[in-house]
Amino acid sequence: MIDRTRPPIGARWTLDGLRWYYAPEFLHFERVSRRRPALFVGNHSVYNVFDALLLADELRREKGIALRSLADRIHFDLPLWRDLVAAQGAVLGTRENCSALMRRGENILVFPGGAREVFKRKGEAYRLIWKERYGFVRLAIEHGYRILPYATVGAEESMDILLDAGDYLKTPVGRYLRSSGIADRFLRGGEELPPVVRGIGLTPLPRPEKMYFVMGQPIDTRPYRGRHESAETLRRVRDRVARQLEKLIDEGIAYRARDRNVGAIRSLVNRA
């Protein structure tokens, strides 16, 4: 059995490097309990996957919690990367896997925005793009799980979007993808076209923006037990989660504006 409270040495070096690069700061960590598991619900940043690794690492260090992420299939198709993701406790993000983890009392991480929130368009920074997704709320209510919203601030500024899905679809290639039906069959109408981004200089390497993780107040779903098939209940709880998460994002942005300790490496990079 894998001891997820002690990552492999290669993963440890990678995580230490990420902490040095992003200088993460964690706010309100006292809201995280070791005694009762939670479904952590966060906001996705354009292309950024390192934020989830940093959160999982901090939970392991400070709370002894092994966080299990619900990850997209693409993470398990990439050599080397899939090993790091698996070492961090990630599993394929299916309803069956989530239910199994909840039955075992695991702490779980989910991003309701999925790929669409990763492949953001210009002007969508810090916007929650959850559409009509209620699966995470349904499962939390069904299993009596606490939902713990948390916000990540900083990752959105590590990259600039140069071309997004809307830009693609205006080109001859984009028009072909639409007319041929490829966009609808494989790219959800073009919404999952990955943007072209710029980080350091002209490269896609993310800039070392300091990351802030703001933990919210846990939401107890036990009062809703037995109503996991009620559309009204699902919408009410999901909206409650989203409202708190949006407030946490605002809190993180305001905290960053007052923060003087933005990390040593950031000062070495020309952001122009």
Side-chain angles (χ1 to χ4, degrees), residues 241-271:
V241 176
R243 284 195 302 271
Q244 185 178 162
L245 184 45
E246 288 167 345
K247 290 179 180 178
L248 293 171
I249 291 172
D250 290 341
E251 180 181 348
I253 291 173
Y255 182 90
R256 178 180 60 182
R258 302 189 301 268
D259 187 18
R260 301 294 182 181
N261 181 25
V262 294
I265 180 117
R266 180 180 175 186
S267 64
L268 302 177
V269 178
N270 181 356
R271 299 186 61 203

Side-chain angles (χ1 to χ4, degrees), residues 19-50:
R19 292 178 75 95
W20 174 78
Y21 194 76
Y22 289 111
E25 186 169 350
F26 302 86
L27 308 178
H28 307 314
F29 238 56
E30 71 279 0
R31 295 172 177 173
V32 179
S33 172
R34 294 183 59 182
R35 295 190 299 273
R36 187 176 170 195
L39 178 64
F40 291 74
V41 178
N43 58 303
H44 246 325
S45 304
V46 60
Y47 272 149
N48 208 302
V49 292
F50 300 133

Side-chain angles (χ1 to χ4, degrees), residues 140-208:
I141 294 175
E142 184 177 358
H143 292 271
Y145 247 65
R146 296 191 312 163
I147 298 176
L148 201 159
Y150 82 94
T152 303
V153 169
E156 293 280 35
E157 286 76 23
S158 66
M159 295 180 181
D160 300 320
I161 298 176
L162 303 180
L163 294 171
D164 61 23
D167 297 319
Y168 289 141
L169 294 175
K170 294 175 185 176
T171 67
V173 173
R175 288 193 289 272
Y176 168 74
L177 292 175
R178 277 183 164 175
S179 63
S180 65
I182 293 176
D184 291 330
R185 288 199 302 271
F186 302 107
L187 301 170
R188 296 186 182 178
E191 289 189 346
E192 293 191 1
L193 282 166
V196 175
V197 299
R198 178 177 70 89
I200 296 178
L202 298 177
T203 76
L205 181 67
R207 292 185 291 266

Side-chain angles (χ1 to χ4, degrees), residues 6-121:
R6 300 183 63 183
I9 188 65
R12 178 72 271 152
W13 289 343
T14 300
L15 292 167
D16 287 345
L18 290 175
R19 292 178 75 95
W20 174 78
Y21 194 76
Y22 289 111
E25 186 169 350
F26 302 86
L27 308 178
H28 307 314
F29 238 56
E30 71 279 0
R31 295 172 177 173
V32 179
S33 172
R34 294 183 59 182
R35 295 190 299 273
R36 187 176 170 195
L39 178 64
F40 291 74
V41 178
N43 58 303
H44 246 325
S45 304
V46 60
Y47 272 149
N48 208 302
V49 292
F50 300 133
D51 52 349
L53 296 181
L54 288 168
L55 174 65
D57 185 49
E58 186 70 8
L59 287 170
R60 179 186 291 113
R61 287 171 180 251
E62 297 300 321
K63 298 289 186 176
I65 289 175
L67 189 64
R68 308 301 302 274
S69 301
L70 300 178
D72 192 272
R73 185 178 302 275
I74 191 173
H75 291 288
F76 299 98
D77 293 335
L78 302 175
L80 299 180
W81 176 252
R82 62 189 172 207
D83 298 328
L84 177 60
V85 170
Q88 286 294 97
V91 300
L92 188 61
T94 65
R95 177 174 181 145
E96 293 74 20
N97 284 344
C98 186
S99 291
L101 292 174
M102 286 181 169
R103 286 194 295 270
R104 291 168 50 181
E106 302 268 10
N107 284 277
I108 306 166
L109 171 62
V110 64
F111 297 102
R116 175 60 182 86
E117 209 167 275
V118 173
F119 296 157
K120 286 183 173 173
R121 303 190 183 192

